[in-house]
Amino acid sequence: LERALREWKLLKEAKQKDEALKESEEKYRGLVENLYDIVYRVDTEGQVLYISPLVEKVFGKKPDDLIGKPFFSLTYPEDLPGLTEAFKRAMGEDVLLYEFRAISRDGAIRYARASGRTLLMDGKPVGQTGILSDITERKRAEEALKESEEKYRSLVENLNDIVFNLDAQGNITYMNPAAETIFGYRLEEIVGTSFAKYIHTDDLGGVMESRGETLSSVLRPYEFRMVDKKGSI
């Protein structure tokens, strides 16, 4: 009877541990599968052991389509060497952080960032676990901003009139190339110097007054004399 009671107790404890483990797994599975980022796990060769369901929404591929296949199968061909090299380094350095282009099922290019950590067993790498973030919208916004900046920079730098920026102290932070033609100074001689340096002495007071009004958001045109490198007005 005592032996039967001990066995029953052991079975009960094992069942409770089983249920606790199952509950813990379900809790973390629910957490992982509802993240806004894709969670993955790969072996030392980069073969996918696990990838969360969000991969289907982002890349149009079901987890079953990727498990057992190389993690790099998502990668845009031109970015594959860089990602492969980063993965190999991470196996020795513990951490992976790399941005690359990926291809969805419909052939569209998306931008992704992989951040992972090497898994160790007895001090040896056995794989990697990490997060794959969809950064497509951020990258597109950056590209659009860069394109816009390049367009307006080209416009400004090809004007025949001088365009400039001043800081709060009145120092020149930017002047377009027209300044070199008009004033005879090289841009590197101008940037960082006081704008007042180039104003005719008799007109300086009026310019300062006008600038004070401009800083108060009262914009009004003002004509004054400036002096070039040769001392000409």
Side-chain angles (χ1 to χ4, degrees):
L1 181 60
E2 288 179 2
R3 181 180 176 183
L5 285 171
R6 281 198 303 272
E7 288 178 353
W8 176 81
K9 187 176 180 181
L10 289 171
L11 284 170
K12 185 179 179 182
E13 288 174 353
K15 185 179 179 182
Q16 287 173 339
K17 288 178 181 177
D18 236 17
E19 289 173 349
L21 179 60
K22 185 178 178 182
E23 185 180 340
S24 176
E25 286 177 345
E26 287 175 352
K27 179 178 71 176
Y28 285 106
R29 178 179 292 275
L31 177 64
V32 165
E33 295 185 354
N34 285 285
L35 288 173
Y36 288 108
D37 294 313
I38 299 164
V39 177
Y40 68 87
R41 183 177 177 184
V42 296
D43 63 17
T44 53
E45 300 301 316
Q47 303 289 323
V48 178
L49 302 175
Y50 171 81
I51 194 159
S52 57
L54 184 64
V55 71
E56 184 174 4
K57 183 178 179 181
V58 177
F59 297 111
K61 296 183 180 182
K62 295 180 180 179
D64 289 345
D65 296 334
L66 297 169
I67 290 174
K69 295 180 180 177
F71 178 72
F72 311 117
S73 62
L74 288 169
T75 313
Y76 189 71
E78 290 182 11
D79 294 350
L80 183 56
L83 179 59
T84 304
E85 184 60 31
F87 178 79
K88 288 179 181 176
R89 287 199 308 270
M91 281 297 169
E93 298 173 5
D94 193 40
V95 175
L96 169 72
L97 187 61
Y98 195 78
E99 293 184 3
F100 61 98
R101 288 169 293 179
I103 306 172
S104 63
R105 184 184 289 277
D106 61 6
I109 294 176
R110 301 193 70 81
Y111 291 86
R113 183 182 65 242
S115 52
R117 183 171 291 278
T118 299
L119 295 170
L120 301 174
M121 185 174 289
D122 297 327
K124 296 180 180 180
V126 293
Q128 189 183 96
T129 186
I131 287 175
L132 193 62
S133 305
D134 181 13
I135 58 171
T136 304
E137 295 308 315
R138 192 199 82 192
K139 279 291 186 181
R140 286 176 180 165
E142 287 175 357
E143 288 175 355
L145 178 61
K146 184 179 178 182
E147 185 179 337
S148 176
E149 287 175 344
E150 288 174 352
K151 180 177 69 176
Y152 285 106
R153 178 178 291 275
S154 175
L155 176 65
V156 167
E157 294 193 348
N158 285 286
L159 288 174
N160 292 321
D161 294 319
I162 295 174
V163 178
F164 64 91
N165 284 336
L166 305 180
D167 64 17
Q169 286 72 46
N171 296 315
I172 299 166
T173 58
Y174 171 80
M175 263 195 179
N176 65 335
E180 292 186 337
T181 304
I182 295 172
F183 288 128
Y185 290 97
R186 296 192 308 275
L187 290 179
E188 53 265 35
E189 293 179 278
I190 297 172
V191 175
T193 61
S194 172
F195 187 69
K197 173 182 175 180
Y198 309 98
I199 301 170
H200 191 285
T201 307
D202 294 343
D203 295 344
L204 185 57
V207 172
M208 292 297 102
E209 183 182 343
S210 175
R211 180 170 178 270
E213 292 178 356
T214 300
L215 291 174
S216 302
S217 300
V218 180
L219 303 178
R220 97 178 145 83
Y222 191 80
E223 295 183 1
F224 56 96
R225 289 166 292 177
M226 298 189 76
V227 182
D228 67 16
K229 192 171 185 176
K230 294 179 180 180
S232 299
I233 293 173

